[in-house]
Structure formats: C-alpha cells, structure tokens
Amino acid sequence: MDELKTGSRGPVVQLLQLGLERAGYLPGPTDGRFGPATETALRQFQKTEGLPPTGIADPATRQSLMPWLIGTRFVQLRQGDTFWRLSQQYDTSAAAIAAANPELDPQNLRPGQTVAVPLGFPVVPTGIAFTSQVLELTLTGLLLRYPFLGSGAIGSSARGLPLWSVSIGEGETQVFYNAAHHANEWITTPLLLTFLEEYCLSLLDGDTLYGYDAAELYRRTTLSIVPMVDPDGVDLVTGYLHDGPWYQRAREWAENYPSIPFPEGWKANLNGVDLNLQYPAGWEEAKKIKESMGFTGPAPRDYVGTAPLTQPEALAVYRHTLQNDFRLSLSYHTQGNIIYWRYLDYLPPRSREIADAMAKASGYSVEETPPVSGYAGYKDWFIQTYDRPGYTIEVGQGTSPLPLTEFDALYADNLGILVLGLALAAQPPLPPAEEPSAL
C-alpha cells in the first residue's frame, strides 16, 4: 500500500481516520479526505508512539495503528498484573479479557505471558466504507475477542480474494445468512457483522437478544454467515479498487450502459456477472428476461453469465450450502423494506408463518418476488432444492449504495428478523425468554 499523506483520498484514508479516531486523536469526520485535521492527528499519534512525526502514514505508522483497527492490544504481563488491573488501564472489562484468553487462568497469571486485551469499543465499524480490507480486519478482531467463533474461507473470488465465512453456535439446527451478493449493496455486510458482535456480547453478559436467551440460541442453533459474497465488486464500488486491469475492464463494460452510474451502480462481480442470477433455479427463464432487457454480455448488473454456477463466488456459496444442513436462509440485499418469501409454487412448511413474524418485528412487508427478478437467485435455489424457508430481505429505501447515515435505523429494523431466523428455525421453535405482557 502506498504512503498516505495530505491530499490522499478514498476508503484507505477512511480506515486511517477510523484508527486515529478510536485512538483518541481525530476530532473530525472519517470522510476519506486526508486534510489538515488528519495530518495533525497523525502527527500527534506518531509522537505518542515514538515514531517520527512526519504526518505521513507509512507502514510503521499503520502497524502502530493496528490495535485500534482490530480492537485488541497484545500486552505482556508484568508482576502484579491482573485482568481487572488491565481492564482499568485499557478501558475494557475483566470479563472481556477473560473471554479473549480462555487458555489463561486469571488466578495463576505469570509475568511474561502475552494477553489479548479487547479495547473499549465495538470491533465492527459502521461509519466507513466496508471494503474487503475492512472485512478482514473486522473478522480478525472478532475472532480475537470471541475465540468461540469459527471462521474460514469457503472459496475465492474472481480476483482471488478469500470468501470468508464465520460461524457461531453449537446446536443441531443450522441456519445460513449471507450478504452483498450485489456489490453496491455492501451496507448489508456491516449489518450482519454488527448482529454477530451483539450476539457475542449478549452471550458474554448472560443477556437476552431481542427477548431471546442468547445462551439458548447458542446451544440450540449454529449460524453460518458469509458476510460479503462479492468482495471484488464491493471494492470497485467503494473505490478501494480504482485502477489496474480489473478496474479498466469493468469501466469499459460500464460504458456500454451509460444510464448506470459507474462505479456506484455496479452490482456484478468483476467478470460482469450478476451473482444473484447464477443459481440453478429457473436460470434459463432469468436469461430470457434479462436478455430482453438488453443484458446480453458482461455488464454492471443483470447479466446472468453463460450458464449457472460459472462464477466462483456463486459456486462457493452453492457448495457451502451443499456441505451443510441449513434449515433456513436469509439473503440480505437493498432496498425496499421487503421480505421476499416464495419461489414459484413452492411453499415450505412454516415459511409464510415465519415471514409474517419477521414482518411484525421489522415493519417490512411480505411480498412475492416480481417476475422480472423471480428466478436464479440464491433464495430461489434454496427453496427449490430443500423445501425449507428461504428469504430475501431488502433493507432500506433509496438509491444503492445506501448512505451509512441510515445504518442505525436499518439495524434496528432488522435485529428482530435476524434473531427470529435462529429462534424460529429451531425445532421446536425457541420461546422468548420473557413473554410480552398483554396490552
């Protein structure tokens, strides 16, 4: 990565600003513009860290910022250190430190041992562009804080980036959530990861999550999340990928569709294929529909490819599904505040009942997918193959990519959906921890 300095712009600057803000040095916005305020904050940080105060973010400076990007510091214990003493020093809790270090006995700490100390803020950032780089840093931080999470790559993108999966739970009922099949719908990635972090915190605190006992959810279910199905496309839309042959090829394809703004209108992967039109469920029908609309070759959106599952991202999700036994799936998209619940005449048991419960929790409407978009999606294939409840959740209103100023409202609307997906998939369904009182 090049050095960042005054005049630099883009999501890499946003990430730098996030680290400075979390470290207490940046009072201004994380706007991706490296101006005087960012330079001043960076010089102050460098001076405190014993680095030359150049105001330029070189590799050594970015490495020093890493604890504030992954939310964890590694501390070597000194004589007399305890988890409680460390918690006071680093503005965290002894319970958080204990959770991050399950191999250590708090009553038998020894000088020289290395302790992972979670810092006093959430790992998942919700105010910056969520690039593939931000995703990897966030997952690193979550796994450090919550070692009971599982993680691994289910495949690779067209550009060779890992397609990450993260899991939580130990129950027999397996559930699958995915996000960002479409590049300019990347706001759904932090949505799922924020839920995952809140779930972890509820477990540590012995708390409920949307009225359901978090420990019981963990015991009865196993949730698998693929938070960014299309990392290549997301990097294009966010500006993290802004030059080179992949970028130039995408730009050339986009010029054939001048009505679609570039890059913010890009939904496809970097082969110009719409990943949510890649599943073997009415693919030929989807091909006819999209070709009649003019999408006959690589494009920013709506090109179905030459056959189902030709794109590595869709193939990885397909294989991940086959290798598991998911009882329910949620595919997160934007926009419309809609829950799509049905594929053709398939009516999986309890699928409408669960959709109605999710609608009540979110205020979203339950609808059937319009014919123009009603084939070859992941939800369609999941329902057709397994006869189990599968849903496409379209969050928010407006133009994609939705602005991050809407994130808090989107998350509040969807927390109930995300919890109910687990609770109602279980057999028998989990009851709320506390029944609401009658009005």
Side-chain angles (χ1 to χ4, degrees), residues 173-175 177 210 212 217 220-221 327-330 349-361 389 391 416-432:
T173 299
Q174 297 181 40
V175 177
Y177 297 170
Y210 196 72
Y212 287 82
L217 286 172
R220 293 272 302 277
T221 68
R327 309 298 302 184
L328 178 147
S329 72
L330 298 182
R350 300 174 58 233
S351 57
R352 181 62 197 236
E353 170 194 343
I354 293 173
D356 288 341
M358 291 177 173
K360 184 176 180 180
Y391 306 94
I417 292 177
L418 292 161
V419 175
L420 288 171
L422 293 172
L424 300 183
Q427 290 289 348
L430 273 69

Side-chain angles (χ1 to χ4, degrees), residues 130-327:
F130 224 92
T131 66
S132 64
Q133 179 190 29
V134 174
L135 173 62
E136 294 204 14
L137 289 168
T138 299
L139 290 177
T140 298
L142 289 172
L143 292 166
L144 285 171
R145 288 194 182 194
Y146 313 109
F148 50 84
L149 295 176
S151 182
I154 64 168
S156 299
S157 70
R159 193 162 53 114
L161 296 180
L163 301 178
W164 294 110
S165 170
V166 60
S167 62
I168 181 172
E170 59 185 17
E172 293 184 0
T173 299
Q174 297 181 40
V175 177
F176 180 45
Y177 297 170
N178 62 78
H181 262 87
H182 289 146
N184 64 353
E185 300 173 5
W186 59 260
I187 198 171
T188 56
T189 296
L191 184 72
L192 291 191
L193 293 177
T194 297
F195 168 69
L196 177 63
E197 185 164 18
E198 185 172 356
Y199 185 1
C200 291
L201 288 170
S202 297
L203 283 171
L204 295 188
D205 293 340
D207 206 348
T208 59
L209 189 63
Y210 196 72
Y212 287 82
D213 184 85
E216 189 66 8
L217 286 172
Y218 186 89
R219 188 182 71 81
R220 293 272 302 277
T221 68
T222 298
L223 171 62
S224 173
I225 297 174
V226 175
M228 189 181 287
V229 176
D230 185 11
D232 296 349
V234 169
D235 283 351
L236 177 69
V237 171
T238 58
Y240 186 58
L241 178 68
H242 58 273
D243 57 19
W246 288 98
Y247 175 86
Q248 293 300 333
R249 188 173 69 162
R251 188 177 184 90
E252 290 171 7
W253 285 332
E255 289 172 354
N256 297 322
Y257 300 88
S259 64
I260 302 174
F262 181 83
E264 58 268 29
W266 192 274
K267 295 176 67 175
N269 74 349
L270 286 192
N271 286 330
V273 177
D274 190 318
L275 296 178
N276 208 41
L277 294 170
Q278 269 280 289
Y279 295 94
W283 181 87
E284 290 288 350
E285 187 64 28
K287 183 174 185 287
K288 292 177 186 177
I289 292 170
K290 299 305 182 182
E291 286 186 347
S292 72
M293 298 167 61
F295 296 99
T296 58
R301 60 178 174 86
D302 288 329
Y303 174 52
V304 302
T306 57
L309 303 175
T310 58
Q311 299 307 298
E313 300 91 344
L315 182 60
V317 174
Y318 171 85
R319 287 174 171 168
H320 182 59
T321 305
L322 294 179
Q323 291 164 2
N324 289 279
D325 185 27
F326 299 131
R327 309 298 302 184

Side-chain angles (χ1 to χ4, degrees), residues 320-352:
H320 182 59
T321 305
L322 294 179
Q323 291 164 2
N324 289 279
D325 185 27
F326 299 131
R327 309 298 302 184
L328 178 147
S329 72
L330 298 182
S331 299
Y332 263 82
H333 291 256
T334 66
Q335 56 191 295
N337 294 343
I338 296 169
I339 300 169
Y340 291 126
W341 70 286
R342 188 171 174 177
Y343 176 61
L344 300 181
D345 292 329
Y346 293 89
L347 295 172
R350 300 174 58 233
S351 57
R352 181 62 197 236

